[in-house]
Amino acid sequence: MPLDPNILRADFPILATKVHGKPLVYFDNAATTQKPQIVIDALVKYYTEMNANVHRGLHHLAEVATEAIESAREKTRAFINAPSVMGIVFTRNATEAINLVAQSYGRTHLKPGDEILLTQMEHHSNLVPWQLVAKTTGASLRFVPIMDNGLLDLTAFEQLLTPKTKIFAFTMMSNVLGTINPVKDLTAKAHAVGAVVCVDAAQGAAHLPVDVQALNCDFLALSSHKMCGPTGVGVLYGKETLLNAMPPFLGGGEMIRHVEWETATWNDLPYKFEAGTPNIADTIAFGTALDYLRGIGMANIREHEKALTVYAFEVLSAHRDCTIYGPHPTMPASVVSSRTCGVEGGAPTAWPAGGATQAPVITQRGGVISFNVGDIHPHDLGQALDFEGVAIRAGHHCAQPLMGRLGVVATARARFYLYNTKEEIDVLSAALEKTRRFFHQKIARK
Ligand code: 7TS
């Protein structure tokens, strides 16, 4: 059943906030999402009824807390259809999960001459960890280019894949372009040359159904706070055989089996990678967030966001001086591939004959809309929209090399989620028009 954002909004108390006297329109969901009341309640319930350290106490509360955190692990396993909870490692965030793979797997397996393949659309979290490991191992970095339409260049990808490629790490969904990469196909091709595949699903898992067994990726990272859960919790999914063969990432309590003065042996999975006291309350509440998302259905969330994305393109493209970056959602891929990454305002609505028979790009595009309006700096735009109650993000979005590829230093960005509505896109559009007029009047007065 299609979801009704107007009903779901009631689950999120913060959405009733007024900003500068205007109703909050929250479009900064790529940075972090809002939390439903049941997630907030789960945090309070933990501290009022269960607080104890986990996995080590023999008393009642310790058992209750341990059961609750392990239940969150099982919910995570089910959410991404992992074969076993042994492959579900809790981390602080997606960033830490990727660093775990880079440091533990990468440092052990990479040597000079090896290549780590990334893409031009990576968030710094899936770039800098690999730069660090490349420096320490002597491996080199390669990048799959993006085409002008914002999709990955798959021909170049196949050329870049060689037996030297030991790791292929890429994002499921770009936090700037909204591009959804064909994870299953890319993974199969990388496996064919013997590379191990690490998927950054920080954006993807929050907005798309994810099945790690169907994708057959080796590692997958995600962040709780981008999917209605609290901050401070991330997940690394890894294939058990790989995780078992990897050395620990951090040392301390919980990750050991036996310790002597000079040496130690390691705990079973997943605890080998969970040194120290975990973020118990937030992890349990993350489990509640997953219940919430499953209740709505990820496929329904995806459909809702598709509709919002198509609508936003329609509305924003009508602004003559608005440039939108990333794949155009309603153009067939064949048409889109000959166009530039920035879709200028007033883009044509009728595509060449024959185009309509091909799948439109919406299948490869999520609800992230990065844009610029004329020569207004995105930071000024962000501030002006805030006065209208509209929360967007402006900046490089932790993707500085991608900004260079797009030929800009920054963009404004709106990212939709299950609680956003078409009416809110209208509010954004009206606020943009007001801002544009204000800035143009200012320039005219100079
Ligand atoms: N990967 C992608 C694709 C992301 O969008 C982000 C965060 C991360 C990794 C890192 O997630 P973290 O939870 O470990 O910080 N993206 C953004 C963003 O676009 N604006 O703020 C954070």
Side-chain angles (χ1 to χ4, degrees), residues 59-120:
H59 56 84
H60 172 73
L61 285 182
E63 275 175 21
V64 171
T66 301
E67 220 168 89
I69 198 169
E70 289 310 318
S71 154
R73 198 186 303 276
E74 167 52 26
K75 289 172 186 178
T76 310
R77 184 208 64 71
F79 193 81
I80 58 171
N81 193 32
S84 151
V85 287
M86 310 258 274
I88 303 294
V89 177
F90 287 125
T91 60
R92 278 190 306 144
N93 43 41
T95 303
E96 189 176 84
I98 295 166
N99 275 275
L100 193 167
V101 180
Q103 291 300 318
S104 174
Y105 183 88
R107 269 160 72 128
T108 316
H109 289 85
L110 294 169
K111 56 182 188 323
D114 288 345
E115 292 179 359
I116 303 164
L117 185 59
L118 309 174
T119 82
Q120 283 184 340

Side-chain angles (χ1 to χ4, degrees), residues 30-31 93-95 123 125 171 173 175 200 202-203 223 225-226 393 397 413:
N93 43 41
T95 303
H123 185 280
S125 292
T171 189
M173 188 192 297
N175 67 318
D200 174 1
Q203 295 295 334
S223 263
H225 71 98
K226 297 203 196 280
R393 170 83 29 146
H397 314 297
R413 181 187 67 186

Side-chain angles (χ1 to χ4, degrees), residues 11-62:
D11 297 335
F12 294 79
I14 206 167
L15 295 181
T17 303
K18 290 256 166 42
V19 175
H20 305 299
K22 313 262 170 58
L24 167 68
V25 172
Y26 187 78
F27 282 153
D28 196 14
N29 295 295
T32 200
T33 56
Q34 298 303 345
K35 321 303 171 199
Q37 186 65 50
I38 53 164
V39 168
I40 300 164
D41 290 347
L43 289 169
V44 175
K45 184 176 161 75
Y46 170 75
Y47 284 117
T48 48
E49 296 175 21
M50 296 181 215
N51 181 44
N53 211 328
V54 290
H55 299 138
R56 40 192 102 165
L58 293 174
H59 56 84
H60 172 73
L61 285 182

